[in-house]
């Protein structure tokens, strides 16, 4: 059985408002469960594809900062 995770996540949040998306991201991070990583990855992919070069640099710097602080 093939499951298209990207499509499934996008379909689940197709009509979601900002507060629902925020709540999902925050709860996924707080729960620290491996099962939420694909969904966060799909959100990150959407973020990355919709970011200009300057915002991508900010994202990368924030990731690097977070990695160096752990």
């Amino acid at each position: 059985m093939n499951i298209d995770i990207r499509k499934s996540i996008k379909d689940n949040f197709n009509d979601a408002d900002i507060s629902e998306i925020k709540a999902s991201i925050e709860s996924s991070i707080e729960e620290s469960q491996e099962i939420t990583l694909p969904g966060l990855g799909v959100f990150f992919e959407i973020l990355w594809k919709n970011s200009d070069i300057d915002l991508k640099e900010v994202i990368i710097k924030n990731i690097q900062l977070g990695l160096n602080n752990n």
Side-chain angles (χ1 to χ4, degrees), residues 23-36:
S24 177
I25 292 168
E26 289 176 344
S27 68
S28 293
I29 292 169
E30 288 173 13
E31 291 174 8
S32 296
Q33 294 183 4
E34 299 291 317
I35 196 164
T36 62

Side-chain angles (χ1 to χ4, degrees), residues 1 4-5 7 12 14 18 21 23 27 29 31-32 35 37 39 41 46 48 50-51 54-56 60 62 64 67:
M1 169 166 54
D4 186 339
I5 293 173
K7 183 177 178 345
N12 285 341
N14 190 37
I18 290 173
I21 296 168
S27 68
I29 292 169
E31 291 174 8
S32 296
I35 196 164
L37 292 177
I46 292 167
W48 190 259
N50 288 286
S51 298
D54 293 332
L55 185 52
K56 286 179 179 179
I60 292 167
N62 279 319
Q64 182 183 36
L67 291 170

Side-chain angles (χ1 to χ4, degrees), residues 2-3 6 9 13 17-18 34 36 50 52 61 63:
N2 284 337
I3 298 174
R6 284 178 182 86
I9 301 272
F13 287 91
D17 62 27
I18 290 173
E34 299 291 317
T36 62
N50 288 286
D52 63 20
K61 287 177 184 176
I63 291 171

